[in-house]
Amino acid sequence: MSRNSLVALALLTLAATAQANDAPVAAAAPDFTLSANLSLTSQYRYRGLMQSDNKPAVQGGFDLAHRSGFYLGNWNSSISWLGDSNPDVSAPVEMDFYGGYKGNVADGVPVDLGVLQYYYPGDFPSGYTSPDTTELYAGIGYGPIMFKYSIAMTNLFGFADSKYSQYFDLSANVDTGVWGLTLNAHAGRQMVKNVDKGSYTDWKLGLTKDFGQGLSVSLAYLDTNADRAVYTNTRGRDMGRATGVLSLTKTF
């Protein structure tokens, strides 16, 4: 091979090496991901029961997830149900703190295990049973369907002697394939230990519209068979009566 040929070959090799070094490299997935959410809802209902006395509520929180499946999070909402149940109580905010693990036991079979602390900062009269509640939960899904079981390791939301109360939650979120609409369906059963007529069933049917960029709107119909003798607040309102709820949510 001539000297000119060797020089040309060397130049081509250097050019190819430089081009390879300049080629984009796929970024490694981050170990942690942080997301946040903010909602405005026409009223706050939890397990079918009114939490904001049929008035609008502001809600928001964040989630920190590790790629291993472990996560931590916080969610908050304005409320009025504690003051509505006792005029001597001042506790306008619900703060939830949770952590757990999400993974898959098989293809298309997700699981979710964790602990959730409901915290209600405020002023309470002497002898008032704390509404703060700690629950353990375990969920398993298949396709769009998810079943979740929760058990209270403390008194449940201020009911005295209600430790080990349970909640059974069956839900489905089905992409309709039309206009970005998702069908939301839910049925739940709250078992309140040692509270006569405190147990009840709740259900929901609704639609969520995804507008992209983390913006969505949902509209749902909710109802319960909660006993009015137990779930009527001091304003005379049935906390479990049927209602519609409209919500606007932005995720970041």
Side-chain angles (χ1 to χ4, degrees):
M1 181 178 292
S2 68
R3 181 179 178 182
N4 289 340
S5 298
L6 289 173
V7 170
L9 180 60
L11 291 174
L12 287 172
T13 302
L14 288 172
T17 302
Q19 186 175 11
N21 290 335
D22 291 339
V25 178
D31 288 337
F32 292 92
T33 56
L34 179 65
S35 61
N37 59 86
L38 181 64
S39 297
L40 177 63
T41 183
S42 60
Q43 64 168 296
Y44 175 24
R45 289 278 179 130
Y46 186 64
R47 294 180 180 172
L49 300 180
M50 66 171 61
Q51 308 291 297
S52 60
D53 200 38
N54 286 338
K55 296 180 177 64
V58 178
Q59 305 170 334
F62 70 90
D63 293 278
L64 178 66
H66 189 264
R67 64 178 180 177
S68 64
F70 290 97
Y71 63 87
L72 293 171
N74 161 250
W75 185 85
N76 315 277
S77 179
S78 57
I79 62 169
S80 67
W81 70 272
L82 287 165
D84 295 335
S85 65
N86 187 324
D88 294 327
V89 171
S90 176
V93 177
E94 173 187 332
M95 303 178 70
D96 300 344
F97 302 92
Y98 50 88
Y101 170 80
K102 289 182 179 180
N104 290 280
V105 295
D107 187 28
V109 184
V111 294
D112 185 7
L113 309 171
V115 58
L116 170 57
Q117 175 67 47
Y118 303 86
Y119 174 56
Y120 301 92
D123 296 322
F124 302 91
S126 177
Y128 190 88
T129 302
S130 173
D132 296 348
T133 302
T134 303
E135 287 187 335
L136 301 179
Y137 59 85
I140 187 168
Y142 183 75
I145 300 173
M146 190 77 178
F147 174 75
K148 186 176 180 181
Y149 169 76
S150 301
I151 182 168
M153 306 309 293
T154 60
N155 285 330
L156 182 75
F157 304 127
F159 285 113
D161 195 26
S162 60
K163 186 177 180 180
Y164 302 132
S165 294
Q166 305 169 76
Y167 187 70
F168 303 86
D169 179 350
L170 181 64
S171 61
N173 296 290
V174 181
D175 184 357
T176 66
V178 179
W179 303 327
L181 293 173
T182 298
L183 176 67
N184 315 119
H186 154 84
R189 178 66 179 174
Q190 179 70 72
M191 306 293 292
V192 185
K193 191 171 183 179
N194 296 323
V195 178
D196 187 33
K197 298 183 179 180
S199 301
Y200 67 92
T201 301
D202 71 283
W203 54 94
K204 179 183 83 171
L205 187 63
L207 289 170
T208 297
K209 166 64 176 176
D210 183 1
F211 290 96
Q213 302 299 318
L215 184 65
S216 64
V217 172
S218 63
L219 178 63
Y221 171 83
L222 301 85
D223 199 1
T224 79
N225 66 353
D227 193 296
R228 292 194 62 176
V230 178
Y231 296 103
T232 295
N233 63 27
T234 57
R235 300 175 185 271
R237 293 196 173 101
D238 177 5
M239 298 176 66
R241 69 182 182 183
T243 191
V245 176
L246 177 65
S247 301
L248 172 66
T249 300
K250 172 68 176 178
T251 57
F252 306 89

